[in-house]
Amino acid sequence: MSRTGKGLTTANGVPLKVSLMRTNRRNQIRAFLLVAPLLLFLVIAFVMPILDMLKRSVDNPEVHTQLSRTVAQLQDWDGDSVPDEAVFEALVQDLKEGAAARNLGLVASRLNYEISGMRSLITKTARRTGRIESGPYKEAVLDIDEDWADIDIWRLIKRESNPYTLSYYLAAVDLKFDSNGDIVEQPEYLQIYQQLFVRTFWMSMAITGLCLLLGYPIAFLLANTPLRYSNLLMILVLLPFWTSLLVRTTTWIAILQQQGILNDIFVGLGLLDEDSRLSMIYNKTGTLVAMTHILLPFMILPLYSVMKTIPPYYMRAARSLGARPFLAFRRVYFPLTIPGIGAGSILVFILAIGYYITPALVGGQDGIFITNFIAYHMQTSLNWGLAAAIASILLFVVIAFYLIYNRLIGVDNVKLG
């Protein structure tokens, strides 16, 4: 480094300020390249699937692409009477083209989600449109099936011709569009999702509360017992992670079923009669017990990591100032563990609300979560739009809970260790 007429320079004659800027830029580029694989992984594995899910929840391409001529003719339809000849001619052409290309299944399924029977109506009509060589098309189509004279069907086609729809979100909360386009409730026998959302939320909260109730004393013991005993306790806490989730879940089936170990003990002790064995599996009780056991370590570990940092002389100081043990615990120790409670509660609640395998295996009809219906629509009914809408609502609610938590307690107070 030397001093010239331009100020301080490096040995190469480059101004020192410029040299420092280049060094900082190189360090920033090197740091970015180090984290680039992780960022790329997060974008591919986390951000893109969520964006795709949000898009699928409103995406509605089937009608306006597969019935494009019919949709175009319906733009001027008054909506109060059966469409005219031009609309039926367009429908015949669309169905002929779709039958030849074998791609009518998607639009038939899409319309069937809104009105039951639309799949069979479209496929039946498409099979027979090959016989229609010329007009009058309206009469020919009505001869195939008189349901085409139903104005609600044409209103449905026109309404669902929009590339984007709210129908999936409405269906996810037991609502729907009626024939006039107004939002109304589903028939009572079809209302299941609101109940499932409520059940999922309160059971997730109950599991979080049970994990806190059971995990707090265990974490306290881990943090305040001698090292050789606390290590043994820690092994017992971590032991469930060494066994398969499926094994742990099925073990609870063997323990809780009516002819299982727990009922046998109750009967053996004379607490129950043989004919009055408890039903503790394939219901909410089974889900609560099994999921509390599975998620308990996720509550204990954050609590333990926070309790371990609390100096023991805090409690001794409170006792020396005259506080009783419970008062010292309540006024001194417990407030210091709130960051661990917050971290464990968030972790357990978010894991519980998205759990799938355990409620499916031990929940029965009363103990399943909304996530089980997401899986059903993804794998069985193939209604991916409804599955995406339910999952999106679940995501929005979790974000809302997170914001409320941040408002009331503060994310800055959360500590994982």
Side-chain angles (χ1 to χ4, degrees):
M1 186 172 66
S2 61
R3 179 179 293 277
T4 67
K6 297 179 180 179
L8 291 175
T9 62
T10 62
N12 297 330
V14 180
L16 182 59
K17 185 177 180 181
V18 174
S19 178
L20 288 174
M21 290 177 61
R22 288 175 180 172
T23 302
N24 287 335
R25 190 180 301 113
R26 281 197 296 270
N27 290 336
Q28 290 173 353
I29 293 173
R30 192 178 296 117
F32 175 77
L33 291 176
L34 285 174
V35 300
L38 177 60
L39 289 175
L40 184 63
F41 175 78
L42 288 176
V43 169
I44 295 175
F46 184 70
V47 177
M48 291 178 65
I50 288 179
L51 293 178
D52 184 65
M53 177 189 71
L54 295 175
K55 178 178 178 294
R56 284 182 182 276
S57 66
V58 295
D59 198 20
N60 192 35
E62 294 88 357
V63 176
H64 77 90
T65 55
Q66 304 298 326
L67 300 177
S68 56
R69 299 184 185 86
T70 309
V71 169
Q73 291 295 331
L74 282 174
Q75 296 304 313
D76 299 326
W77 178 50
D78 60 7
D80 295 326
S81 59
V82 180
D84 57 18
E85 178 70 12
V87 176
F88 279 91
E89 182 180 359
L91 177 67
V92 170
Q93 292 176 357
D94 283 335
L95 293 182
K96 280 184 177 180
E97 186 176 293
R102 298 179 180 275
N103 59 7
L104 285 176
L106 290 176
V107 68
S109 297
R110 176 67 191 91
L111 295 175
N112 198 67
Y113 295 149
E114 305 299 326
I115 296 181
S116 180
M118 282 299 295
R119 169 183 278 277
S120 59
L121 177 63
I122 288 181
T123 53
K124 171 186 173 183
T125 308
R127 283 197 307 271
R128 299 184 184 181
T129 49
R131 305 172 190 170
I132 304 176
E133 300 294 339
S134 60
Y137 295 97
K138 183 175 181 178
E139 182 179 348
V141 171
L142 292 179
D143 283 343
I144 294 174
D145 200 312
E146 293 182 351
D147 285 346
W148 287 109
D150 187 350
I151 297 175
D152 290 347
I153 289 176
W154 295 103
R155 288 175 175 171
L156 170 65
I157 294 174
K158 184 174 182 179
R159 189 182 69 240
E160 296 302 329
S161 63
N162 195 307
Y164 300 100
T165 182
L166 289 177
S167 297
Y168 293 126
Y169 279 101
L170 294 178
V173 291
D174 296 329
L175 299 175
K176 67 174 184 177
F177 288 112
D178 66 4
S179 60
N180 296 319
D182 299 324
I183 297 175
V184 297
E185 290 187 342
Q186 293 274 12
E188 190 171 350
Y189 69 95
L190 292 177
Q191 295 182 9
I192 55 174
Y193 297 113
Q194 289 184 14
Q195 180 184 358
L196 279 171
F197 272 117
V198 172
R199 181 194 299 167
T200 301
F201 294 141
W202 83 256
M203 287 187 70
S204 298
M205 290 180 182
I207 290 165
T208 304
L210 288 172
C211 285
L212 177 60
L213 192 65
L214 297 174
Y216 197 96
I218 298 173
F220 183 83
L221 279 177
L222 280 169
N224 292 281
T225 51
L227 188 61
R228 56 178 178 175
Y229 298 117
S230 64
N231 285 339
L232 179 61
L233 276 175
M234 181 61 76
I235 291 174
L236 294 177
V237 170
L238 297 178
L239 197 59
F241 288 123
W242 301 345
T243 55
S244 164
L245 172 64
L246 199 60
V247 171
R248 281 179 278 162
T249 303
T250 51
T251 301
W252 279 110
I253 297 176
I255 294 174
L256 297 178
Q257 63 182 325
Q258 284 194 317
Q259 300 301 322
I261 299 170
L262 198 57
N263 267 306
D264 286 345
I265 293 174
F266 289 156
V267 172
L269 294 175
L271 299 175
L272 293 175
D273 296 331
E274 185 66 35
D275 298 331
S276 58
R277 287 173 173 259
L278 299 175
S279 177
M280 297 180 287
I281 200 70
Y282 305 125
N283 51 29
K284 294 172 186 171
T285 304
T287 301
L288 287 172
V289 172
M291 288 189 62
T292 299
H293 166 248
I294 291 169
L295 296 178
L296 188 58
F298 294 98
M299 179 66 78
I300 293 175
L301 294 178
L303 280 171
Y304 167 72
S305 64
V306 172
M307 290 178 178
K308 197 67 179 175
T309 63
I310 301 175
Y313 54 78
Y314 280 14
M315 289 287 285
R316 290 198 294 268
R319 295 289 306 277
S320 68
L321 294 174
R324 293 179 179 276
F326 178 74
L327 182 63
F329 171 81
R330 185 171 65 84
R331 300 290 293 274
V332 176
Y333 193 85
F334 181 78
L336 293 174
T337 62
I338 287 179
I341 294 174
S345 299
I346 285 183
L347 198 59
V348 171
F349 180 76
I350 292 177
L351 288 173
I353 206 171
Y355 238 66
Y356 162 68
I357 295 177
T358 303
L361 290 177
V362 303
Q365 289 296 319
D366 296 334
I368 59 174
F369 281 9
I370 192 68
T371 47
N372 298 107
F373 268 78
I374 295 175
Y376 167 78
H377 288 303
M378 290 291 294
Q379 299 169 357
T380 305
S381 74
L382 302 181
N383 191 348
W384 287 19
L386 181 55
I390 296 173
S392 298
I393 292 174
L394 209 56
L395 175 66
F396 297 147
V397 172
V398 170
I399 292 174
F401 274 114
Y402 174 82
L403 294 176
I404 293 171
Y405 177 87
N406 185 37
R407 180 79 175 177
L408 296 178
I409 298 179
V411 176
D412 294 340
N413 292 324
V414 173
K415 291 182 181 177
L416 291 173

